[in-house]
Amino acid sequence: MASDTAAGAPKAAPAAPKSRKSVTGTRGTVAALFLLPALVLLGALVVYPIGYSVVRSFYDQSGDGFAGFDNYRALFTDDGIRTALKNNIIWVVFAPTVATALGLVFAVLTERVRWGTAFKLVVFMPMAISMLAAGIIFRLVYDQDPDKGVANAVWVGVHDTFAQSSAFPKAHPGRDSPLVKDDDGGFVTSRQVRVGDTVTLPLVGVAPDLMPKDAERAAAPRPESDRITGTTWQDFTRGKGVGTLNAVDASELGYAGMRIEAVKGAEVVETATAAADGSFSFSSKAEGAQLRLPKSNFAEPYNGLDWLGPSLVTPAIIGSYIWMWAGFAMVLIAAGLAGMPRELLEAARVDGANEWQVFRRVTVPLLAPVLAVVTVTLMINVLKVFDLVFIIAPGSSQDDANVLALELYRKGFASDQPGIASAIAVFLLLLVIPVMWFNVRRLRREVRR
């Protein structure tokens, strides 16, 4: 009976486990002690400056008078701040988008080549350079002189491939020259030419060291019974009182490559190009024509684009930013690409999708969370951009390239307007908070998955 009673009795509930405590106190106390230094630093370096900036933004320049919302009103009425706000919008729209797109293309393509790792290393390398160094590099890259600036050297090289620049931009007729200026900006002979004539077209104004390298000593024209012959040359001999005016002297050089046109009325009946010694000739078709040196011979050499001028300075600086941060986007996207399930890509190919369709309909949707994180991170970064604009933009174009972070510096230090500078800082914080909130929300959603 006793055994039955024992068997039928309900079992006692297990004892609750004793809470474990550390030897130094409760878990909360230990956590607070470890967090206290970080909290102190956070308060001193983040919370206090933010709070002080908010308070300071409501005071005037002296800091004694309460200005209310006047400083914030200036954000939308001051021309410099409005330009900075407009440029920040351009930065936020284009810089993260282009950098992310390039990072995506690089990450996808480097998976298919054997030297992909080396390519990634080269693209990511600019991230190791500080903004200051990158700004100095691109200030030189965008130099207006094609002999110094890489961008204009390439641009001028491409331009001159299709439209050759003149070698004689400063050339012009000298005293008592047979040439007179025409309405188109070139030079034309004052009289008509006849078959058997010899014509001299002397010019001056080109420095000896700027003459074409293939130029040879000028040759005096020799008459031919069935043609019109002539010479165009640099009618200048070094030394005082040396050389004969409008006549070819022994040391004078021909205008190699000069274009000459035979013109009757408004019609060009024949053209010729001067040889290395400046000589040229026309057939009998030029009988009764005037010889013209068209203005294309004297066009100023093409010096490329004014990359740091008012119209191109912002896109140029954005280009330098993309050069630095495309590697960052590529590395993060490549990490997301490495974790992508390959069977989905193979299934799409088996179903008949081509590579573009696989990329657009499978790869990009699967990488959407990574692309969003990269884009939002770069948006936060460009809102704070300062170094590149301050260093690359010259003084003449800095107002056109202005951004909010640079305007904050200029108002706070150059113009001594701390109230407006504090208002800009608070405004920047308000712009960054929604983007950060979106990023944190997305990251939490990814963790839950």
Side-chain angles (χ1 to χ4, degrees), residues 74-93:
L75 298 181
F76 303 98
T77 56
D78 184 275
D79 290 338
I81 300 176
R82 287 165 60 184
T83 300
L85 183 59
K86 180 193 71 174
N87 287 336
N88 263 104
I89 293 173
I90 295 173
W91 272 87
V92 169
V93 171

Side-chain angles (χ1 to χ4, degrees), residues 173 177-183 186-194 197-203 228-232 260-265 280 282 286 288-294 298:
S177 174
L179 292 167
V180 295
K181 194 165 186 176
D182 70 353
D183 296 334
F187 303 100
V188 64
T189 55
S190 55
R191 65 178 183 85
Q192 297 176 341
V193 295
R194 304 291 176 186
D197 286 352
T198 59
V199 184
T200 54
L201 305 178
L203 295 169
I228 300 166
T229 58
T231 299
T232 178
I260 305 100
E261 297 174 344
V263 183
K264 290 182 179 179
F280 61 89
F282 288 96
Q290 291 176 285
L291 300 189
R292 181 174 67 185
L293 303 178
F298 314 105

